Amino acid sequence: MSCFQEPSLYTIKAISILDNDGNRVFGKYYDDAFPSLKEQKDFEKNLFDKTHKANGDIIMLDGFTIVYRSNVDLFFYVMGGANENEIMLNSVLNCLYDSISNVLRKNVEKRQLFENFDAVMLVVDEICDGGVVLEADSSQIAHRVSVRQDDIPLGEQTVAQVLQQAKEQIKWSLLK
Amino acid sequence: MKMLGSFRKDKKDEESGSGIPSVVEKAQILQEARTFNETPINPRKCVQILTKILYMINQGETLSAREATEAFFAMTKLFQSKDNNLRRMVYLCIKEMASIAEDVIIVTSSLTKDMTGKEDSYRGPAIRALCKITDHSMLQSIERYMKQAIVDKLPSVASAALLSSLHLSKHSPEVVKRWVNEVQEAANTDNIMVQYHALGVLYYIKKNDVLAVNKLVSKLKSNLKSPYAHCFLIRVACKVLEEEGGGRESPMFAFVEQSLRHKSEMVIYEAAHAIVNMKFITAAELAPAVSVLQLFCSSPKPVLRFAAVKTLNRVAISHPAAVTACNLDLENLITDSNRSIATLAITTLLKTGNEGSVDRLMKQITGFMNEISDEFKIVVVSAVNSLCHKFPRKHAALLSFLSNMLREEGGFEYKRAIVETVITIIEENVEARDTGLSHLCEFIEDCEHTSLATRILHLLGREGPKTATPAKFIRFIYNRIILEHPAVRSAAVTSLAKFGGTSDELLPNILIILQRAMLDADDEVRDRATFYYHVLCQRQKALNSAYILNGLNVSIIGLEKALHQYTLVRAKLALVTADGDPSVTMQLTVRSTDQIVSEIIATAAG
């Protein structure tokens, strides 16, 4: 049967976020399997076609194992090689989703994501670096990627923003 | 805080969903980068612009070296700001541009300052950015900082340094190898990610020395805090086993085996997966691994079920008996909502099923086949194929299943796979021949794929005469001559001729049919019919063998000569046929066939 593959820390081939039309919101490819943009986009289209209706959190496609999750109008994908530990891939996916959810204050949908795109990019950067899992615990990620709202001086925020912030704070303190 | 809100609006106006900003947009964004030169720096605005640049690149927009370098240089001004978010975005941009812009090493001193500075949240990301821009020549100058960072108390710093070491080893392996002591120290940490990264680097440094790797595993296996490190170490242990040619007495094997009882699912699975792939493993040793996988099969988490059934599928190839214990769990998975899981379950069952379960399995699969895509259907058919080899006595049930599938909807590749499987059964199993051929006859009555129809007709011609009652096939084939298009009709003619060539009692009927075919609208059909008719009329076994039952053997050179002669005497022959002399007509017919063959060869040669 198969001889054992060379052990490697490079376990993540790609991380991708698509919208509900299958268009790329964010995509990072760590492997040379899809060198050109066109190949990446073709793959994403194929992947989207097979997953946006299907039940299930895992699929094999073109020699990759892909775990995925969706919410409202976003689809999150983490891809590894065919022989990768699927449970490890899933833990990375959960970290990705939970961290982004933290950043977007539980409002995981496209508009919110675009409005906090910088934080989302930092999250992905803290989870995976060049294909190696850097961190898989979402509370650690939250700590490292804190977009501190109080950085904005009060004068620059609109009244609406201040009220919104106050509302959020009250909501979270009630939930504790 | 609207990062890309306004940006997205502009984008939507001018493109139709491709997501790539036009050249005008790119120029606009890069123009905005000039804002970086303004003082005082407005962090919010700068973060917005940096985000737009990164988004643009992510969507596939390419920057020229000049554009990237200009933007990069403007960005360096931003180090003057103390804004946390801005600094982090600058690091991201540096990493993204590192491969496109030129002279990126100018930020080396800024990054080195950040890496060793007081702001903890900068240190890790600064290290990672620094290593992206550092090449072999510069590496010596930061070596001191890297070694310090690897053993730093802060996990984010240590991880960043270790990861970067791994990336750097691609172009500077000898330098990284000098840091082995620091990496070794880092491997003893309690932090689960740092241990994982340190182990990765350690293995990389030592991998060419099997003894050193062996020692590495022995030392670390009792000190593993990290499930990620544990999984990695299992893989290393397997590699050692393979290279040393070790077996069950090796401590490497013991380590993997006991990992089956770890508390983390990830580790348990890695161990089970490793054990089933070991070449020397016996069925008894497989049992604990298989029972773990069996448990996963009934997990509520789809990922676990998938991982388990995929691994069991592999086991079924080499040790089908070991998987039999899981058959009940696998049968439950046939109705799993995830189609990949269901397909894997079925193909595993097909490999491990015994003769008694074949009928039941076929029934279960039939219901399931309608819901899966062609890709998966082909996987199932090839599993059925191997079942045919294993249980030749079950050919009746298998053939009926396959012919049902042939009647259903499906693409060409799928139908072809089924036809090939049926043909395999027919060829290997004399008892199945009759039924198999009948099923195929039914199929060609309504087959839209010419290549499949001609293949089947060819097979019928070869195998049909050998059956007990060849006559029943003749009607099917005859219908093809009447109903189908030329390619199929010609194949049918050839097929019929073979029946005529082998059976004396069928010959008169065949001759009548061939005579009718000689009046066909298509050249090829007419030529073949005429040829076969005349050969068969001679009633000589030798002629039949040479021209009908076996393939035509023509020498290319002889062919060319004959063709040449034919073109020369064409006019003469035309006069003669008007005369009606049968012997000359025979010569003419033979030459026509030669011509047909040579035309085919010529077309094939391009």
Side-chain angles (χ1 to χ4, degrees):
Chain A
M1 238 191 321
S2 56
C3 54
F4 291 100
Q5 272 186 327
E6 181 71 12
S8 165
L9 289 190
Y10 293 95
T11 51
I12 310 292
K13 303 287 178 200
I15 290 180
S16 176
I17 306 177
L18 302 180
D19 69 9
N20 54 357
D21 293 320
N23 295 319
R24 176 190 285 193
V25 171
F26 178 84
K28 206 96 175 80
Y29 286 76
Y30 304 108
D31 190 75
D32 289 331
F34 303 106
S36 78
L37 179 79
K38 180 171 185 316
E39 288 170 6
Q40 290 174 9
K41 294 250 163 130
D42 286 344
F43 178 73
E44 283 167 9
K45 182 171 187 314
N46 196 9
L47 180 60
F48 182 75
D49 284 342
K50 296 209 154 63
T51 54
H52 76 281
K53 281 186 308 214
N55 268 343
D57 308 334
I58 181 165
I59 183 177
M60 283 212 66
L61 193 62
D62 290 354
F64 291 100
T65 303
I66 302 146
V67 289
Y68 60 100
R69 252 175 104 153
S70 65
N71 192 61
V72 188
D73 51 3
L74 290 173
F75 289 80
F76 298 83
Y77 302 90
V78 172
M79 303 176 218
N83 280 319
E84 202 47 71
N85 186 319
E86 294 90 345
I87 304 173
M88 185 197 290
L89 290 176
N90 205 39
S91 76
V92 172
L93 174 71
N94 286 334
C95 177
L96 175 73
Y97 186 86
D98 292 339
S99 306
I100 292 183
S101 174
N102 281 336
V103 156
L104 302 183
R105 302 211 196 280
K106 313 279 180 201
N107 222 349
V108 182
E109 43 100 28
K110 193 159 99 167
R111 222 174 81 96
Q112 270 292 88
L113 196 138
F114 272 117
E115 291 187 7
N116 296 280
F117 204 77
D118 57 333
V120 170
M121 283 198 286
L122 288 175
V123 161
V124 177
D125 185 63
E126 288 293 333
I127 292 178
C128 180
D129 183 300
V132 182
V133 179
L134 181 55
E135 179 56 68
D137 179 351
S138 55
S139 53
Q140 280 295 324
I141 304 283
H143 185 68
R144 295 179 193 180
V145 182
S146 42
V147 182
R148 299 190 286 265
Q149 196 72 3
D150 44 55
D151 275 356
I152 308 175
L154 214 55
E156 268 194 56
Q157 295 185 39
T158 65
V159 174
Q161 276 177 316
V162 175
L163 281 176
Q164 177 67 13
Q165 235 186 296
K167 257 197 289 183
E168 296 282 338
Q169 301 243 15
I170 295 172
K171 186 169 77 166
W172 290 118
S173 63
L174 285 175
L175 282 173
K176 277 206 192 93
Chain B
M1 193 158 51
K2 286 194 188 301
M3 272 301 117
L4 288 179
S6 58
F7 175 69
R8 246 183 357 118
K9 245 194 304 192
D10 304 330
K11 182 172 67 69
K12 242 194 227 179
D13 290 335
E14 40 78 63
E15 46 82 4
S16 46
S18 66
I20 300 179
S22 68
V23 177
V24 171
E25 279 268 22
K26 176 174 83 162
Q28 196 178 35
I29 296 168
L30 292 177
Q31 178 84 342
E32 288 183 49
R34 308 253 169 103
T35 324
F36 300 157
N37 295 315
E38 288 170 16
T39 49
I41 294 174
N42 180 338
R44 224 120 345 268
K45 207 156 157 242
C46 293
V47 168
Q48 235 180 356
I49 300 168
L50 287 176
T51 310
K52 282 191 204 174
I53 294 177
L54 287 171
Y55 176 79
M56 192 175 70
I57 296 177
N58 196 264
Q59 285 290 323
E61 190 62 49
T62 43
L63 267 56
S64 70
R66 194 181 61 81
E67 287 168 331
T69 312
E70 265 180 30
F72 190 88
F73 271 71
M75 222 180 279
T76 56
K77 306 274 183 337
L78 298 175
F79 271 100
Q80 292 166 22
S81 164
K82 296 251 182 299
D83 185 275
N84 194 300
N85 216 27
L86 178 57
R87 185 64 60 92
R88 300 290 299 277
M89 293 305 287
V90 169
Y91 295 150
L92 269 189
C93 277
I94 290 175
K95 289 211 286 191
E96 204 62 45
M97 305 264 208
S99 43
I100 332 168
E102 289 157 354
D103 301 325
V104 290
I105 54 172
I106 58 161
V107 290
T108 305
S109 59
S110 305
L111 288 172
T112 322
K113 221 172 83 184
D114 282 352
M115 159 182 177
T116 51
K118 288 205 189 55
E119 184 59 60
D120 282 343
S121 63
Y122 287 177
R123 297 179 60 209
I127 294 173
R128 293 190 284 128
L130 180 59
C131 292
K132 206 79 203 288
I133 62 166
T134 303
D135 63 12
H136 184 77
S137 54
M138 295 294 301
L139 190 50
Q140 318 268 44
S141 55
I142 62 163
E143 191 171 351
R144 184 163 57 98
Y145 301 117
M146 287 301 291
K147 286 165 84 165
Q148 283 172 351
I150 288 174
V151 294
D152 197 286
K153 293 282 178 299
L154 213 55
S156 60
V157 172
S159 280
L162 288 162
L163 255 185
S164 301
S165 311
L166 199 61
H167 297 325
L168 286 169
S169 62
K170 289 199 193 92
H171 58 67
S172 308
E174 29 5 286
V175 178
V176 174
K177 287 186 180 162
R178 295 206 284 262
W179 307 343
V180 62
N181 292 328
E182 284 77 13
V183 179
Q184 183 72 61
E185 201 185 307
N188 293 327
T189 177
D190 284 345
N191 182 289
I192 63 177
M193 295 316 289
V194 176
Q195 188 175 57
Y196 173 57
H197 300 140
L199 183 52
V201 181
L202 265 181
Y203 174 73
Y204 170 80
I205 293 176
K206 302 188 181 212
K207 67 182 177 183
N208 291 325
D209 181 352
V210 182
L211 279 175
V213 178
N214 196 325
K215 235 179 91 181
L216 172 69
V217 178
S218 308
K219 261 177 68 179
L220 268 173
K221 64 182 176 176
S222 40
N223 192 23
L224 282 170
K225 304 288 191 319
S226 159
Y228 296 91
H230 199 139
C231 288
F232 186 80
L233 204 63
I234 289 175
R235 293 194 178 197
V236 175
C238 291
K239 207 66 181 142
V240 171
L241 260 182
E242 198 176 55
E243 304 218 335
E244 287 183 340
R248 55 190 62 77
E249 49 334 303
S250 165
M252 300 290 120
F253 177 73
F255 164 63
V256 177
E257 206 275 332
Q258 80 198 42
S259 304
L260 280 175
R261 295 178 280 283
H262 196 267
K263 55 177 159 41
S264 156
E265 283 169 340
M266 188 164 66
V267 173
I268 295 173
Y269 172 66
E270 186 73 47
H273 186 263
I275 288 178
V276 309
N277 277 321
M278 288 181 187
K279 294 202 182 79
F280 58 80
I281 213 80
T282 63
E285 285 153 350
L286 268 177
V290 170
S291 63
V292 150
L293 295 172
Q294 187 178 9
L295 272 172
F296 281 2
C297 281
S298 39
S299 161
K301 300 184 219 168
V303 176
L304 287 180
R305 298 199 299 271
F306 179 90
V309 82
K310 191 168 136 209
T311 313
L312 284 173
N313 197 324
R314 283 233 202 92
V315 181
I317 297 174
S318 51
H319 299 274
V323 181
T324 316
C326 303
N327 276 358
L328 206 56
D329 307 84
L330 287 170
E331 285 182 26
N332 286 336
L333 289 178
I334 295 181
T335 47
D336 196 294
S337 54
N338 181 314
R339 265 23 206 126
S340 312
I341 294 177
T343 311
L344 282 168
I346 292 210
T347 50
T348 311
L349 282 168
L350 286 173
K351 289 182 185 131
T352 65
N354 52 32
E355 220 166 320
S357 60
V358 169
D359 293 303
R360 199 176 72 238
L361 262 180
M362 289 298 121
K363 259 205 212 75
Q364 278 169 324
I365 300 177
T366 311
F368 159 89
M369 288 294 259
N370 293 328
E371 302 160 31
I372 56 177
S373 66
D374 264 22
E375 241 172 20
F376 285 131
K377 280 188 198 170
I378 295 177
V379 171
V380 175
V381 170
S382 57
V384 172
N385 200 332
S386 48
L387 208 61
C388 300
H389 291 295
K390 265 172 63 179
F391 305 121
R393 282 204 299 251
K394 279 289 170 189
H395 58 81
L398 295 170
L399 277 177
S400 108
F401 168 77
L402 289 166
S403 74
N404 282 335
M405 292 301 109
L406 270 181
R407 282 193 214 111
E408 301 290 332
E409 289 291 314
F412 170 68
E413 284 299 333
Y414 169 56
K415 294 280 167 88
R416 192 169 70 97
I418 301 176
V419 167
E420 292 298 332
T421 310
V422 174
I423 292 177
T424 312
I425 298 180
I426 293 173
E427 284 175 348
E428 293 192 353
N429 210 328
V430 177
E431 292 162 21
R433 188 161 55 203
D434 225 295
T435 337
L437 290 175
S438 309
H439 283 309
L440 289 175
C441 281
E442 262 181 58
F443 174 57
I444 57 177
E445 299 224 290
D446 189 20
C447 171
E448 63 206 27
H449 305 289
T450 310
S451 62
L452 288 180
T454 50
R455 174 129 168 72
I456 292 171
L457 282 165
H458 176 85
L459 181 77
L460 277 170
R462 206 179 70 211
E463 301 287 330
K466 299 183 200 164
T467 63
T469 49
K472 70 178 180 198
F473 298 117
I474 295 186
R475 193 169 60 76
F476 281 107
I477 306 176
Y478 176 59
N479 284 338
R480 300 304 107 225
I481 299 184
I482 304 178
L483 298 169
E484 299 280 357
H485 60 78
V488 179
R489 294 205 298 271
S490 349
V493 164
T494 309
S495 186
L496 276 179
K498 295 206 170 118
F499 279 83
T502 40
S503 163
D504 286 333
E505 50 180 270
L506 292 174
L507 186 54
N509 290 327
I510 301 283
L511 286 175
I512 297 173
I513 298 174
L514 283 176
Q515 262 186 320
R516 294 225 191 105
M518 273 157 56
L519 301 170
D520 192 283
D522 180 74
D523 293 350
E524 169 94 23
V525 179
R526 276 202 311 275
D527 286 342
R528 287 199 191 190
T530 318
F531 172 64
Y532 292 129
Y533 180 81
H534 286 284
V535 172
L536 285 171
C537 278
Q538 303 293 308
R539 294 193 150 97
Q540 289 180 40
K541 289 279 181 232
L543 274 180
N544 290 355
S545 295
Y547 289 111
I548 302 179
L549 299 178
N550 304 318
L552 270 180
N553 286 318
V554 288
S555 97
I556 305 290
I557 301 178
L559 205 52
E560 198 192 349
K561 276 207 192 117
L563 184 62
H564 188 60
Q565 262 194 302
Y566 177 77
T567 54
L568 288 177
V569 301
R570 218 168 107 189
K572 225 157 109 185
L573 279 173
L575 287 172
V576 176
T577 41
D579 217 0
D581 181 349
S583 65
V584 182
T585 318
M586 175 60 165
Q587 255 185 345
L588 170 63
T589 318
V590 172
R591 284 196 195 284
S592 302
T593 310
D594 283 350
Q595 186 189 26
I596 295 165
V597 174
S598 67
E599 266 177 44
I600 295 171
I601 293 176
T603 331

